[in-house]
Amino acid sequence: SSVSVKGGSVIAVLKIPCFRSIQKYYGYNYWTSEKYLDTQERLNRSLKESIRSGKIAKTEYMPSLIVPKSLSIPLIREAGARLQADLVLIFGEQSNIFNEYRLFQSMKIRAYASCEYVLLDTRTGIILASDVITEKIDTEKRKEDTSNDEAFLRAETDALESALRKLGTLVGDYIDAN
């Protein structure tokens, strides 16, 4: 790409609606669940902390008040400009669980998480980088897991956190190289 990232840049992060069914873990009023909010904060913090570059002055999530109802690139770019962000990191996540019951042993759990992302230059509208990242976590149901759902949620959250950390590292590396 011919666009270089200057020092002191600001990145606005926009998480597009997730594809996974979170009701299965938190119920239909999931947005009022303290556990759901804690998990989202953990995942948001993991991504934000993993975007490291000497050229980045600030990384901030886009406030929902300025996120356009229609998620088109021109409207997202405009929202990024209103935040005075040089770059907009747009990402979505998706996860899935597979399990295997074993006689006289703990249940085997495999969680997959994928994050697709686009790094957008706010000034030019050029997509600087894009990719899909997939991470896999293998674990077992633990004694402290009070239910299968709790074990599945732990595995899915760990896989998502791993994928988000990898995403942040890729973005930071891209910015340092350009």
Side-chain angles (χ1 to χ4, degrees), residues 27 37 48 54 61 63 65 76-77 97 106 121 129 145-146 161 164 171:
L37 295 174
K48 192 172 176 179
Y61 278 84
L65 291 173
I76 292 170
R77 181 178 170 208
I97 287 285
S106 295
D121 181 278
D145 294 325
T146 58
E161 185 172 30
L164 289 170
V171 169

Side-chain angles (χ1 to χ4, degrees), residues 13-99:
V13 179
L14 174 61
K15 179 180 173 181
I16 59 175
C18 66
F19 308 113
R20 63 188 180 126
S21 174
I22 54 182
Q23 286 96 355
K24 66 183 172 186
Y25 299 125
Y26 303 106
Y28 288 103
N29 294 326
Y30 63 88
W31 57 88
T32 63
S33 165
E34 184 176 0
K35 191 172 188 177
Y36 169 75
L37 295 174
D38 287 346
T39 301
Q40 293 311 301
E41 179 57 33
R42 171 184 161 190
L43 294 173
N44 290 346
R45 189 174 49 252
S46 292
L47 175 59
K48 192 172 176 179
E49 289 173 357
S50 66
I51 301 173
R52 290 190 211 104
S53 168
K55 296 179 181 181
I56 298 300
K58 184 166 72 167
T59 302
E60 59 185 22
Y61 278 84
M62 274 194 182
S64 61
L65 291 173
I66 68 159
V67 175
K69 298 283 185 242
S70 170
L71 291 177
S72 67
I73 295 293
L75 292 177
I76 292 170
R77 181 178 170 208
E78 183 180 320
R82 290 182 192 281
L83 282 174
Q84 299 178 30
D86 302 288
L87 305 167
V88 179
L89 174 61
I90 308 162
F91 78 97
E93 59 190 31
Q94 163 178 327
S95 57
N96 209 341
I97 287 285
F98 300 93
N99 60 302

Side-chain angles (χ1 to χ4, degrees), residues 103-134:
L103 195 59
F104 306 118
Q105 294 179 4
S106 295
M107 179 181 22
K108 200 170 157 183
I109 302 168
R110 176 168 284 166
Y112 285 93
S114 293
C115 288
E116 52 186 41
Y117 78 94
V118 170
L119 184 62
L120 179 71
D121 181 278
T122 307
R123 185 178 50 79
T124 64
I126 294 173
I127 293 175
L128 302 174
S130 65
D131 205 352
V132 177
I133 298 156
T134 301

